[in-house]
């Protein structure tokens, strides 16, 4: 075990898809053997853009934890906890809010993109809470001394902002906080079934860890292939085909090679190719689906993991806050 700590997490707003899986979960599963790991269910952050829908957030807390456990996050190695149960984070967020300017938050590329996407919710003026969520995320990470954050590349600007806050804090109050760094996966971003650069719920182009075999087949049968290929014996271009792209994730190297050659030679129809991909994807996700079904039938297991994890995280957060307050001359 290395002595650096991991802190990472997700907003509980929906189920995890294979973009999450390859983008960050694989790394978290691998790294939990090497580093002490804390994974937060970011319900407070989820409310920043779902304040009008608390039911949705509540419902997805357990779903998210079930996805984590199904994908191989081991509660013996990783501490899974609920963000809102660690009020120290909220307190630290207030302290940090003096160390970051509004202009800097408005320049954060991730926040900027999200605000543009959420016009319907925010109208012409974004809320203080949403604009400030990077500050709260900096508190999530640093309140547990997180130094490594395995996450998708969209999180990069948030980690950069956290690093700036840490440096500013340490330069004013003394060396108390640790500066984290992001840990990106090799598969930075998985494209959607429609070829869109991003896989996402709102785009309707995702395969979820929890999808049934029937759903997986249906989605894959609708995936985008080479549009120039009309007849089965037309030569295809696998480089612009989403089915070929996913084969690389779910099928063996040998299969991929054959598929590619046959497609280019016009010897393999798209339907057969999709069926084979569906079969391999279903097989790949089978252990996760089975684990999921078991946990859905045993919610008490999930609740116990969250209870224990939250208690452990809270103790650690209290320790950090003692140091923070002392440094800020607030230690009464
Ligand atoms: N921003 C992350 C998301 O969009 C969730 C999150 C909250 C997080 N706090 C974090 C991620 C701390 C990594 C570290 O899902």
């Amino acid at each position: 075990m290395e002595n650096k700590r991991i802190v990472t997490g997700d907003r509980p707003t929906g189920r995890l898809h294979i973009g999450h899986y390859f983008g960050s979960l694989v790394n978290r599963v691998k790294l939990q053997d090497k580093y002490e790991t804390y994974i937060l269910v970011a319900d407070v952050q989820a409310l920043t853009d779902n304040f009008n829908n608390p039911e949705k957030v509540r419902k997805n807390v357990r779903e998210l934890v079930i996805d984590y456990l199904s994908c191989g996050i081991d509660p013996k190695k990783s501490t899974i906890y609920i963000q809102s149960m660690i009020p120290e984070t909220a307190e630290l967020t207030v302290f940090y809010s003096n160390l970051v300017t509004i202009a800097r938050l408005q320049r954060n590329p991730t926040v900027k993109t999200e605000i543009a996407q959420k016009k319907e919710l925010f109208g012409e003026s974004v809320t203080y809470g949403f604009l400030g969520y990077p500050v709260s995320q900096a508190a999530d990470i640093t309140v547990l001394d997180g130094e490594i954050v395995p996450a998708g590349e969209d999180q990069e600007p948030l980690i950069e902002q956290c690093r700036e806050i840490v440096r500013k804090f340490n330069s004013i109050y003394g060396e108390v906080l640790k500066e984290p760094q992001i840990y990106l996966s090799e598969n930075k971003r998985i494209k959607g079934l429609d070829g869109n650069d991003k896989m996402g719920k709102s785009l309707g182009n995702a395969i979820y860890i929890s999808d049934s075999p029937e759903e997986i087949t249906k989605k894959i049968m609708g995936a985008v292939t080479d549009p120039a290929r009309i007849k089965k014996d037309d030569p295809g271009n696998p480089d612009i085909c989403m089915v070929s792209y996913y084969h690389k994730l779910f099928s063996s190297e040998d299969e991929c090679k054959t598929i590619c050659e046959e497609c280019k030679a016009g010897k393999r129809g798209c339907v057969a190719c999709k069926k084979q991909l569906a079969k391999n994807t279903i097989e790949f996700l089978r252990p996760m689906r089975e684990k999921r079904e078991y946990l859905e039938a045993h919610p008490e297991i999930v609740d116990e993991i969250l209870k224990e994890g939250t208690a452990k995280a809270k103790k650690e957060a209290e320790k950090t806050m003692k140091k923070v307050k002392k440094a800020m001359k607030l230690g009464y």
Side-chain angles (χ1 to χ4, degrees), residues 131-327:
L131 183 65
Y133 93 74
V135 186
S136 152
Q137 181 155 332
D140 290 332
I141 298 166
T142 52
V143 85
L144 289 175
D145 281 339
E147 287 185 86
I148 300 167
V149 185
E153 63 175 349
D154 60 318
Q155 298 297 300
E156 228 165 357
L158 298 161
I159 306 309
E160 187 47 42
Q161 185 134 35
C162 174
R163 290 159 64 88
E164 284 174 29
I165 293 172
V166 166
R167 289 198 288 265
K168 185 110 194 214
F169 184 101
N170 286 349
S171 74
I172 299 171
Y173 305 112
E175 288 290 323
V176 175
L177 304 172
K178 300 213 165 112
E179 212 177 299
Q181 67 192 76
I182 193 160
Y183 193 110
L184 290 173
S185 84
E186 295 140 39
N187 273 320
K188 277 194 186 157
R189 179 171 280 186
I190 303 298
K191 292 185 187 180
L193 288 157
D194 56 356
N196 196 307
D197 255 354
K198 210 178 150 155
M199 180 172 275
K201 189 158 111 195
S202 51
L203 299 160
N205 62 0
I207 296 174
Y208 292 90
I209 308 292
S210 54
D211 277 349
S212 67
E214 296 72 34
E215 282 167 316
I216 294 171
T217 306
K218 198 169 148 227
K219 286 179 181 176
I220 288 178
M221 294 319 278
V224 169
T225 54
D226 176 0
R229 198 170 180 215
I230 297 158
K231 290 198 303 305
K232 196 174 150 190
D233 44 9
D234 288 343
N237 178 3
D239 294 341
I240 54 167
C241 171
M242 292 320 292
V243 178
S244 156
Y245 176 88
Y246 285 121
H247 266 301
K248 293 195 189 90
L249 297 174
F250 297 115
S251 306
S252 70
E253 247 175 72
D254 279 354
E255 267 180 305
C256 287
K257 208 167 151 255
T258 315
I259 286 162
C260 212
E261 281 164 7
E262 289 183 1
C263 172
K264 281 185 187 157
K267 284 191 190 143
R268 156 182 285 263
C270 292
V271 173
C273 198
K274 285 174 171 176
K275 279 193 179 149
Q276 189 177 350
L277 173 62
K279 185 171 153 271
N280 292 350
T281 308
I282 290 165
E283 217 32 56
F284 184 93
L285 294 174
R286 180 188 303 285
M288 298 166 221
R289 205 163 40 245
E290 286 173 358
K291 184 99 198 263
R292 217 179 189 292
E293 277 164 20
Y294 177 77
L295 292 166
E296 265 170 1
H298 295 87
E300 70 286 354
I301 297 179
V302 179
D303 292 349
E304 189 54 32
I305 288 169
L306 275 175
K307 200 172 135 204
E308 276 178 23
T310 301
K312 185 171 166 203
K314 173 109 172 69
K315 264 206 195 118
E316 291 304 309
E318 283 167 6
K319 276 193 223 162
T320 309
M321 283 316 278
K322 268 218 177 92
K323 285 189 245 166
V324 162
K325 285 189 175 170
K326 188 156 177 255

Side-chain angles (χ1 to χ4, degrees), residues 106-122:
Q106 284 168 332
R107 273 202 308 274
N108 184 310
T110 302
V111 178
K112 233 169 140 174
T113 313
E114 284 175 301
I115 292 174
Q117 288 164 350
K118 293 173 201 295
K119 275 261 172 325
E120 207 182 307
L121 177 68
F122 292 129

